[in-house]
């Protein structure tokens, strides 16, 4: 099976539920509190594993109770954690307020995640042996740059969720094979409020771009052209935490299951003029494979928003398959 290396953050989510967000200086009562394993990297790794992916997780946690719990979760999910370093800093935390409408606001304290500034030799070897490298922007930028360089040299298909939006080196986004921002992130990256136009800009140069729009679905683009709008699956959302991470993890797991492997579209510049999956475009996904993967990812994320929490909300491959029939 094609292996998926996820390089990213691992946090313990501290989640409070409340009717609304407080005004500055105001104290209100919450209706519940839970701790849930999270972090965008760990979320995506768990989502990919539950959708049948063969996953390695690379990052760092502290030598504390939260770190122990996160390691135990990875083992329980069948995710290899040889690349999860132990840091003298405390395990990262995310402080999440979820209002009754299902929307959330999040403050992240990076902790051990901030110490991942360069790849270790085992982490580099794991990336080079993978078919996919999945990253986000909750780790320091230097390690993201190093990881992309290692992946491209090894012909690994690269996937980036540019969240949170941080300053990136010139040309970094163009070196990624697939970028998956939400509407706000796409606008901030391109200066375009229109998600269709933003997707076109982000996908220029033989890159895939998928801009997620929540209840409106997602825009799928390749090489500067929008291929279509993938509709959402209507559900009643109660907690949108990690919906985007569920989408990405499920998407990559389905691409891996379809046999897609590197070099990805971005690494196949020699095939200029060829469309996705056509002769000369390398071994990246074809349009049909991407559309099918988006279909699975859309259903997986729709299930996640009907449940509370981050990793606790993510469906299994069997659950998604049952919905798709």
């Amino acid at each position: 099976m094609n292996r998926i290396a996820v390089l990213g953050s691992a946090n313990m989510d501290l989640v409070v539920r409340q009717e609304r967000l407080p005004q500055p200086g105001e104290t209100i009562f919450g209706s519940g509190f839970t701790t849930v394993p999270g972090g965008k990297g760990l979320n995506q790794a768990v989502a990919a594993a539950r959708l049948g992916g063969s996953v390695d997780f690379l990052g760092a946690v502290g030598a504390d109770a939260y770190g122990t719990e996160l390691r135990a979760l990875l083992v329980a999910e069948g995710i290899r954690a040889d690349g999860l370093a132990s840091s003298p800093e405390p395990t990262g935390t995310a402080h999440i307020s979820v209002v009754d409408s299902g929307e959330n606001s999040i403050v992240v304290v990076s902790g051990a995640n901030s110490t991942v500034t360069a790849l270790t030799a085992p982490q580099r070897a794991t990336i080079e042996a993978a078919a996919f490298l999945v990253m986000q922007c909750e780790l320091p930028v230097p390690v993201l740059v190093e990881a992309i360089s290692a992946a491209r040299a090894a012909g690994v298909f690269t996937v980036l969720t540019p969240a949170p939006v941080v300053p990136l080196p010139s040309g970094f986004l163009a070196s990624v094979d697939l970028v998956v921002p939400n509407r706000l992130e796409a606008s901030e990256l391109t200066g375009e409020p229109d998600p269709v136009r933003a997707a076109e800009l982000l996908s220029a140069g033989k890159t895939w771009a998928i801009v997620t729009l929540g209840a409106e679905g997602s825009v799928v683009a390749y090489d500067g052209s929008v291929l279509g709008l993938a509709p959402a699956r209507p559900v009643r959302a109660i907690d949108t935490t990690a919906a985007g991470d569920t989408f990405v993890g499920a998407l990559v797991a389905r691409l891996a299951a379809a046999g897609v492997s590197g070099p990805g579209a971005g690494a196949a510049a020699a095939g200029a003029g060829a469309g996705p999956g056509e002769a000369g475009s390398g071994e990246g996904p074809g349009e049909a494979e991407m559309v099918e993967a988006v279909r699975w990812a859309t259903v997986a994320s729709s299930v996640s928003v009907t449940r509370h929490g981050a990793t606790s909300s993510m469906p299994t491959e069997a659950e998604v398959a049952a919905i798709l029939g």
Side-chain angles (χ1 to χ4, degrees):
M1 179 182 293
N2 287 335
R3 289 173 64 171
I4 301 165
V6 179
L7 173 66
S9 56
N11 295 327
M12 184 60 72
D13 291 350
L14 312 178
V15 185
V16 61
R17 294 197 63 85
Q18 58 208 66
E19 182 180 3
R20 59 177 176 83
L21 295 178
Q23 298 296 317
E26 181 186 18
T27 298
I28 64 174
F29 285 103
S31 58
F33 174 78
T34 54
T35 59
V36 183
K40 295 193 73 64
L42 187 142
N43 288 344
Q44 292 180 358
V46 170
R50 289 193 186 164
L51 268 291
S54 175
V55 182
D56 292 87
F57 184 71
L58 316 175
V61 294
D64 50 27
Y66 287 160
T68 299
E69 188 172 342
L70 297 184
R71 287 184 182 277
L73 171 72
L74 293 171
V75 171
E77 297 288 344
I79 298 169
R80 291 175 292 274
D82 295 342
L84 183 60
S86 182
S87 169
E89 293 292 322
T91 298
T93 53
H95 304 257
I96 304 175
S97 297
V98 181
V99 298
D100 288 346
S101 67
E103 294 299 317
N104 64 70
S105 59
I106 304 173
V107 175
V108 173
V109 180
S110 295
N113 297 305
S114 66
T115 68
V116 187
T117 57
L119 295 175
T120 65
Q123 289 172 340
R124 176 178 286 270
T126 298
I127 290 171
E128 293 172 343
F132 295 87
L133 170 65
V134 180
M135 302 190 306
Q136 322 76 36
C137 293
E138 289 186 339
L139 296 184
V141 170
V143 77
L144 305 182
V145 173
E146 183 183 357
I148 283 286
S149 177
R152 289 181 65 81
V156 177
F157 190 91
T158 54
V159 182
L160 176 72
T161 302
V165 174
V166 297
L168 295 168
S170 177
F172 182 85
L173 283 176
S175 70
V176 176
D177 293 310
L178 168 61
V179 59
V180 191
N182 65 23
R183 183 200 304 265
L184 293 177
E185 292 153 0
S187 178
E188 190 169 350
L189 289 167
T190 64
E192 280 287 345
D194 178 8
V196 172
R197 179 58 182 151
E200 290 172 342
L201 293 173
L202 289 169
S203 68
K206 302 297 180 183
T207 296
W208 285 95
I210 300 174
V211 178
T212 58
L213 307 176
E216 297 175 40
S218 58
V219 179
V220 182
Y222 177 76
D223 195 24
S225 298
V226 167
L227 303 182
L229 174 66
R233 174 175 174 256
V235 294
R236 179 181 177 275
I238 63 171
D239 186 352
T240 60
T241 304
D245 296 333
T246 301
F247 183 96
V248 172
L251 180 81
V252 177
R254 293 312 300 175
L255 291 176
V260 174
S261 62
E278 296 176 7
S281 66
E283 299 175 21
E287 182 175 342
E289 292 166 325
M290 186 62 77
V291 168
E292 180 65 5
V294 168
R295 191 167 75 102
W296 277 74
T298 299
V299 171
S301 62
S302 76
V303 173
S304 76
V305 302
T306 66
R307 302 169 177 174
H308 294 298
T311 55
S312 57
S313 72
M314 295 171 176
T316 64
E317 183 178 15
E319 287 178 297
V320 176
I323 292 170
L324 289 172

